[in-house]
Amino acid sequence: MEITPKTKVNDLLNAYPRLEAFLMQLNPKYKKLKNPVLRRTVAKIATLTQVAKIGGYEPLELVNRLRKEVGQPPLGESGEKTEESVNEEAPAWIDKEPGVVVDANKLLDEEKNPLAEVTKMLKGLQSGEIILIESDFLPSPLIDTFKEQGHDVYAKEADKNRFFTYIRKK
């Protein structure tokens, strides 16, 4: 299997199980891959581009490290660009008090799927209401999923190892 920025984490780890330990050595945030709920859910939809964002890497940098580890030649400079940037200009709507605040790390510690839990919470909100997700990583797969569903999403790095992700229900 060729490793690219679009490779899904689950596919990568099924093809190259030894890369799990390698990823965990690269960044402590990747230790969440040990969480069985995360592995059964988010790892199936998360791409290496999204995983790179979580660890603070450029996608091509992470992909090429993984490729080197398994003996594949590096990809050229035409790698994928990240789809959203952290700390871009904040939209005015995030100043509104969130209807729900979610601790994504706590959900993962409880072996709950943050994507599924936030989806349930969104169903209980009115259009325009906001959910704030606090985490020690940028939840790129979750961000991309809610954007695809048409919700407004904004993420910012509050400080080192602390991210706030705002989702405004469509």
Side-chain angles (χ1 to χ4, degrees):
M1 177 187 100
E2 183 178 10
I3 302 171
T4 72
K6 293 184 179 184
T7 299
K8 303 275 193 241
V9 174
N10 193 56
D11 296 340
L12 175 79
L13 297 179
N14 284 338
Y16 302 103
R18 71 181 187 273
L19 288 181
E20 179 179 7
F22 179 76
L23 281 166
M24 289 180 202
Q25 288 176 346
L26 284 179
N27 191 307
K29 292 180 181 179
Y30 296 148
K31 290 183 179 174
K32 289 178 177 30
L33 290 171
K34 285 283 191 197
N35 182 302
V37 172
L38 191 69
R39 283 293 288 272
R40 285 192 312 270
T41 57
V42 177
K44 290 183 180 180
I45 62 169
T47 65
L48 290 179
T49 293
Q50 295 165 326
V51 169
K53 293 176 199 175
I54 290 168
Y57 293 97
E58 285 299 318
L60 199 55
E61 176 190 4
L62 178 62
V63 166
N64 282 336
R65 284 182 176 211
L66 294 169
R67 289 175 67 89
K68 181 179 179 183
E69 189 67 18
V70 299
Q72 293 180 9
L75 294 178
E77 291 298 317
S78 62
E80 243 178 52
K81 300 286 184 197
T82 58
E83 293 171 16
E84 81 270 340
S85 60
V86 176
N87 290 339
E88 62 191 22
E89 189 173 328
W93 60 263
I94 70 163
D95 293 334
K96 182 179 174 187
E97 188 71 26
V100 179
V101 177
V102 178
D103 182 336
N105 295 82
K106 183 178 177 192
L107 289 175
L108 288 170
D109 290 345
E110 294 170 354
E111 297 192 3
K112 293 180 181 174
N113 176 354
L115 181 60
E117 296 297 319
V118 173
T119 298
K120 284 184 224 172
M121 293 172 195
L122 268 174
K123 288 180 182 176
L125 296 180
Q126 300 294 318
S127 178
E129 289 188 294
I130 299 168
I131 291 180
L132 170 59
I133 301 167
E134 297 180 3
S135 58
D136 66 358
F137 59 95
L138 182 66
S140 293
L142 186 141
I143 291 168
D144 292 344
T145 298
F146 289 120
K147 280 184 176 181
E148 287 170 12
Q149 293 175 2
H151 301 290
D152 294 319
V153 181
Y154 174 75
K156 70 177 185 177
E157 188 170 10
D159 52 47
K160 188 175 167 99
N161 295 323
R162 189 165 176 219
F163 291 85
F164 292 154
T165 303
Y166 300 84
I167 302 167
R168 182 170 64 169
K169 185 173 179 174
K170 62 179 176 177

